[in-house]
Amino acid sequence: FRGTKAQINLGGFSNNRAGVASAIIEHGFLKIPGLAVRLQGTMRKGGNTKTPDYWLKNTGFKEANFSLAAAYQSNRWGIETFYSQFNTELGIFAGSHIGNITDLMNAINSSEPAITSGFSYAIERPKQAVNHELWKNKIYYRLGQNRLIVEYARQYNKRQEYDSHKAYNPNLQAQLQFELTTQNVQSYVEHTIGRLRGIAGVAYINQTNTYEGRYFIPNFKSNAIGVYITESYKVSLKTKVEGGLRYDYKTVQSYYYENNVLQSPYRTFQSPTASFGISNYLSKHSNLQTTLSTAFRPPNVNELYSNGVHHGAAAYEIGNPDLKSEHSTNLSLTLNYFFKKCFGYIHAYGYYFSNYIYLKPAFPPTLTIRGAFPTFEYTQVRATYGGFDVAFNDSITNQIIYSTRLSLVSAYDRSQNDWLIYVPPTKWQNGIKYLIPSKGRIIKPFVSVDGIWVAHKSNTPEAGDYKAPPPAYFLLQAEIGTYLTIAKQDVLITLTGQNLLNTRYRDYLDRFRYYADAAGRNIILRLQIPLDFTKN
């Protein structure tokens, strides 16, 4: 486009009395067709979260982010650049950092946290401060129906962790500081040859990590390169096949002290992977997609060598230097259905892992000078995953839309003949949306109501967890919204209610469920103001 567009977004949240303001402005230059720039910024601040019965002490946050982007496109070539910065400070629930094992187990077994609080915006210890930078660039050149693309990206992450007590090192306010730099270069060709379309390329990633303060994961450097090709071929009007091959090679060298002796293990990981899929149009109302693939994932450095307090998860984690790469074979089938204003799908899948890596609870808890924490060890087993998603959306009338989605997944440890831990419970969501006729300056008003039922997780390992899976729960949410024409601009206003019944519940996948309930009722008011100065 040519000219200037802008948008302002405002939001308020009742539960933690949070506020958010963001704005974006885009400009397409009139005298330089194809050149455009964009500036975006966001500020957020919130206080303690409230469950249905009590406040969660020290769960506030504050955030300031911005991004810049510029792009130039011509008929033959184009270039893009993007820079973003994310800065946040967030408190960690005070009731999850506990001084001794007896108090820890009492807190886990209690229905309410021992540490109580009122509302506050104050962010105290324990807390985290995170700074994230991303700079990425892309250039492409067209060669007929083909394109050559080269991309470069650099990410820098700095994370400071402040324990409950003050640091002993006067030069370092935080007990732990990570600095992780990632550089990514890739080049690929998008090509079309008759009915054959595909991408072939090479990707390289370099990572370096350094830390100051207490040990959690070591200093390390890693290099990874991957070569890949994917192709799709339209066999007929009803059938298309897709296939891909990739080969990855990765090296990791870590540096840490063990018994006052510097260790610098060097590990290499490599593997080919492949995928094959076929898409068939069964009728004018349905199609079936089938995919068979293999996957490969080297263990991360934290999975290999972590040994300390994982601050944000309020847990003590222990790595396993003997871990091998994960390898899996995956099969998925997706049946899509569409008829007039009715559409839906059934997606079924199954995975087999030869070396599945996961965090397993270990007993007893670990007592450190920073307090007592539940302990978890990285473990590797043979495992299978299987499940399905079913979704359906139907316009019952021109004004009433019904939607439903059911998700179910199950995972089994084939090495120990037991269920795997921390697998999502069954979830079923149903919703009704009513489209109200527009009138005057009120455009496209609507109201919607959704009910979310989450089942109790019954198929869990016999080895146990620090706290039994929570019972099933039901959440009710609703939203009302409309566009209002103000000064020739369509302003969007929405009012959303989450957990309207103020249900007391705990999320099985959230390890903070050991200590406290999840958030209670939350009313959200959002305002979206577009500003269009585009020149026609």
Side-chain angles (χ1 to χ4, degrees):
F1 72 96
R2 298 181 184 182
T4 303
K5 291 182 179 180
Q7 183 173 284
I8 299 172
N9 295 280
L10 303 173
F13 303 76
S14 68
N15 184 285
N16 57 356
R17 304 178 192 176
V20 57
S22 70
I24 182 170
I25 183 168
E26 300 175 311
H27 180 74
F29 290 84
L30 296 173
K31 296 182 179 180
I32 311 177
L35 178 62
V37 295
R38 183 179 67 219
L39 171 65
Q40 179 271 337
T42 302
M43 296 187 69
R44 301 173 68 232
K45 183 175 181 178
N48 290 343
T49 297
K50 191 178 188 301
T51 74
D53 301 312
Y54 49 83
W55 294 94
L56 300 176
K57 185 178 180 180
N58 198 45
T59 51
F61 64 89
K62 57 184 179 180
E63 193 177 293
N65 318 313
F66 75 91
S67 68
L68 300 162
Y72 176 78
Q73 296 181 353
S74 70
N75 292 332
R76 297 293 298 271
W77 66 280
I79 186 170
E80 301 172 9
T81 186
F82 175 86
Y83 176 82
S84 68
Q85 193 175 111
F86 175 87
N87 306 281
T88 185
E89 182 180 5
L90 62 158
I92 296 175
F93 175 48
S96 66
H97 286 234
I98 300 170
N100 59 70
I101 291 179
T102 300
D103 289 344
L104 171 66
M105 297 312 298
N106 288 338
I108 291 174
N109 294 323
S110 175
S111 60
E112 295 187 6
I115 299 176
T116 58
S117 169
F119 177 80
S120 175
Y121 284 106
I123 300 174
E124 303 171 343
R125 294 172 178 268
K127 66 177 183 177
Q128 289 186 343
V130 178
N131 307 104
H132 172 83
E133 288 183 347
L134 171 63
W135 180 45
K136 60 181 181 181
N137 302 274
K138 176 180 178 180
I139 186 169
Y140 67 85
Y141 185 78
R142 295 184 185 275
L143 300 167
Q145 298 186 70
N146 308 318
R147 279 205 317 169
L148 171 64
I149 299 103
V150 179
E151 297 178 350
Y152 168 79
R154 179 186 181 273
Q155 292 187 62
Y156 170 75
N157 293 275
K158 178 181 177 182
R159 191 172 84 216
Q160 296 174 304
E161 300 189 347
Y162 298 78
D163 292 342
S164 296
H165 60 275
K166 292 185 178 181
Y168 295 117
N169 183 351
N171 298 320
L172 185 65
Q173 292 298 314
Q175 273 78 6
L176 176 59
Q177 177 175 294
F178 291 105
E179 292 185 77
L180 176 66
T181 302
T182 303
Q183 299 191 74
N184 186 328
V185 182
Q186 69 170 330
S187 178
Y188 54 96
V189 176
E190 297 175 346
H191 54 270
T192 301
I193 306 172
R195 297 183 182 180
L196 187 69
R197 301 182 64 183
I199 298 175
V202 59
Y204 169 75
I205 299 176
N206 170 268
Q207 279 193 319
T208 59
N209 178 73
T210 60
Y211 79 92
E212 296 179 69
R214 63 172 171 82
Y215 180 87
F216 176 55
I217 62 172
N219 296 336
F220 70 85
K221 58 183 179 182
S222 71
N223 293 279
I225 188 167
V227 181
Y228 59 91
I229 182 170
T230 62
E231 301 289 344
S232 66
Y233 182 75
K234 197 168 185 179
V235 178
S236 66
L237 292 176
K238 293 185 177 181
T239 304
K240 182 173 71 173
V241 296
E242 298 177 323
L245 292 172
R246 182 178 177 114
Y247 190 88
D248 287 279
Y249 180 85
K250 181 177 181 178
T251 65
V252 179
Q253 186 158 24
S254 304
Y255 304 89
Y256 59 91
Y257 282 92
E258 189 175 86
N259 298 322
N260 294 321
V261 178
L262 178 63
Q263 308 292 323
S264 56
Y266 182 84
R267 301 284 301 272
T268 62
F269 307 93
Q270 56 185 316
S271 178
T273 53
S275 66
F276 176 79
I278 184 168
S279 177
N280 285 299
Y281 282 89
L282 304 179
S283 71
K284 63 180 181 180
H285 302 305
S286 62
N287 64 55
L288 177 66
Q289 296 171 319
T290 305
T291 303
L292 177 65
S293 63
T294 62
F296 154 78
R297 186 183 75 85
N300 294 321
V301 170
N302 63 305
E303 295 169 332
L304 292 166
Y305 303 116
S306 62
N307 189 7
V309 177
H310 184 170
H311 199 249
Y316 194 97
E317 296 182 2
I318 302 172
N320 182 350
D322 297 324
L323 294 177
K324 301 176 182 178
S325 297
E326 275 189 355
H327 291 269
S328 66
T329 302
N330 317 317
L331 175 64
S332 67
L333 296 94
T334 303
L335 177 64
N336 296 290
Y337 176 81
F338 37 89
F339 179 72
K340 294 183 178 180
K341 294 183 179 181
C342 171
F343 60 90
Y345 65 84
I346 300 174
H347 175 66
Y349 55 89
Y351 301 154
Y352 173 78
F353 293 87
S354 58
N355 291 301
Y356 178 69
I357 301 171
Y358 74 103
L359 264 180
K360 181 178 182 180
F363 303 93
T366 299
L367 180 64
T368 74
I369 61 172
R370 298 165 187 87
F373 298 92
T375 302
F376 299 84
E377 295 178 341
Y378 283 99
T379 306
Q380 194 159 52
V381 298
R382 290 182 294 109
T384 52
Y385 265 76
F388 63 84
D389 295 313
V390 179
F392 180 75
N393 189 300
D394 184 20
S395 296
I396 299 174
T397 69
N398 290 334
Q399 294 175 277
I400 300 175
I401 302 171
Y402 167 72
S403 62
T404 184
R405 179 170 179 173
L406 175 66
S407 298
L408 184 149
V409 60
S410 182
Y412 198 74
D413 179 347
R414 297 293 172 183
S415 298
Q416 305 297 325
N417 292 321
D418 201 356
W419 298 105
L420 278 172
I421 199 167
Y422 304 133
V423 176
T426 299
K427 181 178 179 180
W428 188 21
Q429 180 170 347
N430 288 274
I432 289 286
K433 186 173 184 178
Y434 179 63
L435 305 176
I436 305 170
S438 301
K439 186 176 182 180
R441 295 185 178 183
I442 301 175
I443 303 171
K444 297 180 180 179
F446 69 90
V447 59
S448 64
V449 179
D450 287 88
I452 303 170
W453 176 77
V454 180
H456 166 70
K457 189 66 180 177
S458 57
N459 50 350
T460 55
E462 294 182 3
D465 193 358
Y466 281 93
K467 194 177 187 71
Y473 56 89
F474 175 81
L475 302 177
L476 180 67
Q477 60 187 36
E479 184 173 66
I480 184 170
T482 186
Y483 284 94
L484 289 177
T485 301
I486 302 174
K488 297 183 179 180
Q489 303 284 358
D490 291 338
V491 177
L492 176 61
I493 301 175
T494 61
L495 185 66
T496 306
Q498 298 174 337
N499 193 6
L500 285 171
L501 302 178
N502 215 23
T503 300
R504 184 174 180 177
Y505 76 99
R506 301 195 181 197
D507 183 348
Y508 174 66
L509 297 183
D510 182 4
R511 290 215 296 259
F512 283 96
R513 69 177 173 85
Y514 292 156
Y515 312 103
D517 296 332
R521 184 183 295 114
N522 191 20
I523 307 300
I524 306 167
L525 177 64
R526 293 187 178 94
L527 183 64
Q528 185 182 96
I529 307 170
L531 303 171
D532 192 348
F533 309 104
T534 303
K535 303 287 185 182
N536 295 319

